[in-house]
Amino acid sequence: QVQLEESGGGLVQAGGSLRLSCAVSGRTFSTYAMGWFRQAPGKERDFLAAISWQGNYTYYTDSVKGRFTISKDNAKNTVYLQMNRVKPEDTAVYYCAAKLDAITGFNYWGQGTQVTVSS
């Protein structure tokens, strides 16, 4: 089992920055990659970014490329999502997730943290 706990959400003005954290515990040695997703009210959960467990490979969806950065502190088993130049449309509940291999999807999820961007 892998446990995930997000933090760092809150209210931020458009154009500002916010950093989300995801603390990973449990069977971390079996984790293949970590990801960040978000879900806005009335919409489906969308993928944002992923990072390999070693931290040497990252991938972003086009909508956040250049504004958001995913990173990992291996010593702290914590994954971050640095959000810059935020927009009102970035308002959503943000989730981190873990996957245990290259084939299956993300099957461990945190409880989510709310990010609200005011205009």
Side-chain angles (χ1 to χ4, degrees):
Q1 293 287 339
V2 177
Q3 291 81 44
L4 309 175
E5 183 172 1
E6 303 97 336
S7 61
L11 177 64
V12 59
Q13 286 189 331
S17 298
L18 201 63
R19 189 177 79 161
L20 306 182
S21 301
C22 175
V24 187
S25 60
R27 294 172 59 91
T28 58
F29 60 87
S30 62
T31 303
Y32 176 78
M34 299 292 300
W36 282 99
F37 294 73
R38 70 184 179 191
Q39 187 168 19
K43 296 187 177 181
E44 294 186 351
R45 189 173 298 184
D46 291 329
F47 167 79
L48 299 177
I51 187 167
S52 60
W53 184 247
Q54 296 77 12
N56 58 343
Y57 177 77
T58 58
Y59 179 81
Y60 299 90
T61 191
D62 287 344
S63 63
V64 302
K65 196 176 297 183
R67 294 194 301 125
F68 292 5
T69 302
I70 189 170
S71 62
K72 185 175 179 293
D73 185 328
N74 291 332
K76 296 181 179 179
N77 281 343
T78 299
V79 179
Y80 303 99
L81 185 69
Q82 178 67 43
M83 306 168 57
N84 296 329
R85 303 192 306 280
V86 296
K87 305 173 183 179
E89 51 263 43
D90 293 323
T91 295
V93 178
Y94 285 69
Y95 299 90
C96 71
K99 59 185 311 187
L100 303 186
D101 56 58
I103 305 301
T104 57
F106 289 90
N107 47 13
Y108 291 94
W109 295 85
Q111 81 288 350
T113 185
Q114 175 71 45
V115 172
T116 302
V117 182
S118 63
S119 56

